[in-house]
Amino acid sequence: MKKYIILACFIFISLFQGNLFDSKTVAIITKVVNDVHTKAGDNSWAKAKNGQTLKLSDALKTGNKSLALIKFTDNSVLTVRENSTILIGTEVNKKGVPEIINVEKGVIGFNIEKQEVEDFKFTTPQLIAAIRGTAGQIITQGDTTIVALKSGEILINALQGVKQSSILRAGEFVLVTQEGIVNPFPIPEQLQLLIDSNSKINLKKLIIKTDNGDIIIEYLE
Amino acid sequence: MIFKAFYFFLVFFIFFNCQTFSQVRLEIFENLIRANVGSFVSLSEYSKSSPVYRVYITSQAEKVLAEFNLSWKEPGKENFVFVYQFTTKSFTPQDFYNTEISRNLGIESEYSDNDIINKNLQRGQATGSYLLKIRVKDNLGNIIGEDEKEIVFLNQSQSFSILHPQKNSVTGISDLTISWESVPGVINYSIDLAQVKQGNRSDIEALFSGELLLNNYNAGNSNSINLNDLLTGRIKEGMKLVVRVAAVLPGQNRGEVLFAEPVSFLVFSSEDEALKEAIRSLANSLDVKNVSSSAKDIIISNFAVYELLDESGKPISKYEAIEIILELIKSNSSMSGYKDLFNFSFPFISQGN
């Protein structure tokens, strides 16, 4: 009964306000698996919870065996895989979505709703990816960033070296390093398997009971 | 008037020269592709099989290079998908078969979608539409000719399957019978059998590795063979095998060949042994940080499994558990090329309470 009252209050507040987000909120964390932390501005890192809101300039990081799902006000979704760190930009576009998401390291899956005028931008140390509605993944570590695209188009601008630019189309990927070369190729099988694997978000367990103790295999499906 | 005649002669001469000295033509041997699609869709198979296409190049250029692009449209789908593209090294204009490309011309660069290639190989025969394009350029990068051919394979009505073992199953070492469905009018059945090794990108690839346990073994018109009879002592516990059965039917040249979908299977004395081996293989394939030391102690011990549960406490069968673990091994090995780039923490093996 208590659960229904809370739900009713929640719906009422949502209807009254027009949406689930207040004016400063840009996203909500819809899924937390294991070790996920957030940070507002210069504050210290704090453990994230399901349903927690995110504001401009907030950062989010995931540890080992962890992931987070983030839903923006326009229903765009980011999947932040294990050992990843992102920083939300300081400005919003006309749809109330952050103009920039800075991916410091890790694997980020994105499913971005169509933007009307301005692009949704990801930045990594190596590139800026400008998106108007598309799905794919960004993998960045050290001096390398891979962007692989499942649907739509992305304009990729390298930030270092010769600073090449190119349009990335569905089914293509680019690997950008300090050299700044942007050369799209069809996604090969190995990378596709990695992308498919990174798209899995449900934590599963296989518990093997043996006479010498239990073995637990944790995996994503 | 003389000037006009000279002008027409000049135009005719140039046109005639272009037609005569810069020609590129592609001839595809459709029947051979139908029989062995691997020789068409897999670049690594080019030099091992019989020719499936021939390229005719006539050009005045001293040296040329050729760009090839193959795409495939699956039956029932609307769009072509990329299969492979490659560019040859520079060569003197000449005619050649596809089997001569690597050896005689050399390959400068190549790119392929192994997922699509494996999908074709798994079907065992050509299906849908294939579009092969060739573009020939001179040393300055000018296109001197191009051609393309689309071939469509419509007759997919007749097919047959391997009945035993089942795909991705565990088979007892004492029961190594391979059996398959009958094909009406067959001349004989031909069997290929290979061991799947760690270096193979896919199970099917083992069939093209050149190290076959059975290579085109003629089983007559019998519907089964027993590997214990044919390969006494050569099949050991823990081996993963892949088998392909071909039905040779009456037809032109060497006859029409119909392939059953290849089947891979594990050889063990029991599901218990297969499960233990799968757990050990997974632990060995993962990074050290993804296996806790206490879990490793159990795995290397002589343990016995008495119950299997999922995350909600629901019991699952040994066969289901083996399938899950084999899938994890496969996807983990496919990501091995990216381990330097990203710190993967799944799958993770730990000891429970």
Side-chain angles (χ1 to χ4, degrees):
Chain A
M1 184 62 189
K2 196 177 169 186
K3 203 161 70 179
Y4 291 111
I5 292 168
I6 293 168
L7 185 66
C9 290
F10 189 66
I11 292 167
F12 177 74
I13 292 166
S14 303
L15 289 171
F16 184 73
Q17 290 200 337
N19 59 48
L20 286 171
F21 304 94
D22 64 36
S23 58
K24 289 177 186 173
T25 299
V26 291
I28 188 164
I29 304 174
T30 57
K31 183 171 187 133
V32 169
V33 174
N34 294 331
D35 176 25
V36 179
H37 284 80
T38 57
K39 189 172 82 157
D42 293 332
N43 295 344
S44 54
W45 290 100
K47 203 161 176 54
K49 293 174 191 166
N50 270 333
Q52 181 182 328
T53 56
L54 291 171
K55 297 180 171 62
L56 292 175
S57 302
D58 282 0
L60 181 143
K61 71 174 180 181
T62 56
N64 253 352
K65 297 193 292 166
S66 307
L67 71 84
L69 279 191
I70 300 171
K71 194 169 189 177
F72 289 90
T73 49
D74 68 340
N75 287 328
S76 294
V77 175
L78 292 192
T79 309
V80 185
R81 288 288 306 240
E82 68 259 50
N83 303 309
S84 302
T85 305
I86 63 163
L87 175 65
I88 297 171
T90 54
E91 304 286 334
V92 287
N93 66 18
K94 283 178 184 168
K95 289 183 83 177
V97 175
E99 284 185 349
I100 294 176
I101 300 290
N102 181 24
V103 183
E104 290 184 5
K105 66 166 186 171
V107 176
I108 310 297
F110 54 86
N111 197 337
I112 304 298
E113 289 292 311
K114 193 166 176 57
Q115 306 296 303
E116 282 156 9
V117 184
E118 297 151 290
D119 295 331
F120 189 109
K121 294 187 182 75
F122 285 101
T123 65
T124 77
Q126 286 75 41
L127 58 81
I128 296 178
I131 300 168
R132 284 215 177 149
T134 195
Q137 271 181 27
I138 293 184
I139 304 170
T140 185
Q141 186 73 34
D143 60 0
T144 305
T145 294
I146 292 175
V147 182
L149 202 55
K150 189 177 169 189
S151 62
E153 287 187 356
I154 299 183
L155 173 63
I156 305 285
N157 288 302
L159 295 172
Q160 299 170 334
V162 293
K163 295 184 181 176
Q164 286 186 350
S165 299
S166 184
I167 297 275
L168 190 64
R169 296 189 167 79
E172 292 182 337
F173 84 103
V174 286
L175 189 152
V176 182
T177 65
Q178 293 160 315
E179 292 174 6
I181 295 166
V182 181
N183 204 358
F185 280 107
I187 297 172
E189 184 197 11
Q190 268 212 346
L191 184 58
Q192 187 59 54
L193 287 169
L194 174 70
I195 291 164
D196 293 345
S197 175
N198 285 341
S199 306
K200 296 171 181 172
I201 55 168
N202 294 318
L203 181 63
K204 307 286 281 184
K205 285 183 184 175
L206 176 57
I207 301 156
I208 303 155
K209 292 191 168 291
T210 83
D211 54 351
N212 290 350
D214 295 356
I215 302 166
I216 299 174
I217 301 173
E218 290 172 271
Y219 62 100
L220 294 173
E221 189 178 82
Chain B
M1 182 64 188
I2 292 169
F3 178 75
K4 234 178 193 176
F6 175 74
Y7 177 75
F8 279 117
F9 175 75
L10 188 68
V11 169
F12 178 76
F13 181 77
I14 291 168
F15 179 76
F16 182 76
N17 260 344
C18 289
Q19 292 297 306
T20 307
F21 294 108
S22 291
Q23 279 193 341
V24 174
R25 191 165 66 82
L26 186 59
E27 182 185 7
I28 294 185
F29 312 128
E30 193 174 324
N31 278 341
L32 295 175
I33 295 169
R34 188 190 295 275
N36 186 3
V37 69
S39 58
F40 188 49
V41 300
S42 172
L43 267 180
S44 58
E45 279 300 288
Y46 265 25
S47 56
K48 298 179 198 165
S49 313
S50 55
V52 288
Y53 64 81
R54 183 165 168 79
V55 177
Y56 300 88
I57 299 175
T58 309
S59 172
Q60 282 184 315
E62 197 178 319
K63 293 279 185 185
V64 295
L65 58 83
E67 296 171 351
F68 290 79
N69 185 303
L70 180 69
S71 49
W72 175 57
K73 186 160 66 178
E74 202 174 343
K77 296 278 171 71
E78 282 187 10
N79 300 320
F80 278 93
V81 293
F82 169 84
V83 180
Y84 63 65
Q85 63 186 42
F86 67 90
T87 305
T88 66
K89 291 189 167 153
S90 180
F91 62 93
T92 308
Q94 59 185 278
D95 302 340
F96 55 87
Y97 290 100
N98 64 299
T99 46
E100 298 168 330
I101 293 172
S102 297
R103 189 175 61 242
N104 296 357
L105 313 182
I107 292 182
E108 182 66 38
S109 64
E110 62 179 87
Y111 203 78
S112 59
D113 188 326
N114 292 325
D115 207 21
I116 298 295
I117 291 171
N118 285 334
K119 202 169 184 179
N120 270 270
L121 297 177
Q122 276 164 2
R123 286 166 183 246
Q125 58 187 320
T127 55
S129 304
Y130 297 83
L131 179 62
L132 181 64
K133 294 178 182 178
I134 176 174
R135 176 178 284 175
V136 178
K137 292 178 176 174
D138 64 18
N139 267 354
L140 297 171
N142 302 313
I143 299 169
I144 63 167
E146 50 194 341
D147 195 10
E148 64 178 58
K149 289 276 184 304
E150 182 179 346
I151 45 172
V152 183
F153 296 93
L154 292 173
N155 181 17
Q156 297 303 313
S157 56
Q158 196 174 27
S159 64
F160 76 114
S161 307
I162 293 172
L163 298 172
H164 184 271
Q166 289 189 337
K167 195 174 180 181
N168 297 327
S169 63
V170 177
T171 299
I173 193 155
S174 56
D175 178 30
L176 288 175
T177 303
I178 311 283
S179 62
W180 53 88
E181 292 173 330
S182 295
V183 177
V186 70
I187 298 170
N188 70 284
Y189 296 101
S190 174
I191 321 295
D192 287 335
L193 178 80
Q195 182 183 359
V196 180
K197 293 180 179 169
Q198 278 205 325
N200 294 132
R201 284 175 301 178
S202 67
D203 294 355
I204 309 300
E205 196 194 47
L207 286 170
F208 303 103
S209 65
E211 297 173 32
L212 297 179
L213 292 161
L214 290 178
N215 187 359
N216 276 324
Y217 173 76
N218 187 337
N221 53 15
S222 167
N223 279 50
S224 66
I225 55 169
N226 189 313
L227 298 182
N228 284 326
D229 295 341
L230 296 172
L231 299 163
T232 310
R234 290 180 66 190
I235 309 285
K236 306 255 188 310
E237 279 199 23
M239 275 186 167
K240 187 175 188 185
L241 302 175
V242 56
V243 63
R244 183 170 74 160
V245 180
V248 182
L249 299 162
Q252 290 180 334
N253 301 323
R254 292 181 298 166
E256 296 283 336
V257 181
L258 193 65
F259 289 95
E261 185 182 346
V263 163
S264 52
F265 56 99
L266 278 169
V267 179
F268 274 100
S269 56
S270 67
E271 278 193 336
D272 277 321
E273 285 306 312
L275 176 60
K276 285 201 280 189
E277 189 53 37
I279 295 167
R280 288 186 192 115
S281 296
L282 177 63
N284 288 335
S285 71
L286 295 175
D287 270 7
V288 178
K289 66 174 177 50
N290 287 30
V291 186
S292 77
S293 57
S294 53
K296 191 143 199 168
D297 288 343
I298 301 173
I299 291 165
I300 59 175
S301 72
N302 186 23
F303 64 96
V305 176
Y306 64 85
E307 193 176 16
L308 292 157
L309 304 169
D310 69 9
E311 65 282 353
S312 61
K314 190 178 136 201
I316 58 173
S317 71
K318 283 175 184 163
Y319 183 75
E320 282 175 304
I322 293 166
E323 277 197 320
I324 290 168
I325 297 170
L326 291 181
E327 192 55 41
L328 293 176
I329 294 170
K330 190 179 164 195
S331 75
N332 185 60
S333 67
S334 72
M335 292 192 288
S336 58
Y338 297 91
K339 277 182 176 162
D340 291 340
L341 187 63
F342 187 63
N343 192 10
F344 299 104
S345 57
F346 289 108
F348 189 88
I349 307 180
S350 58
Q351 186 195 1
N353 298 322

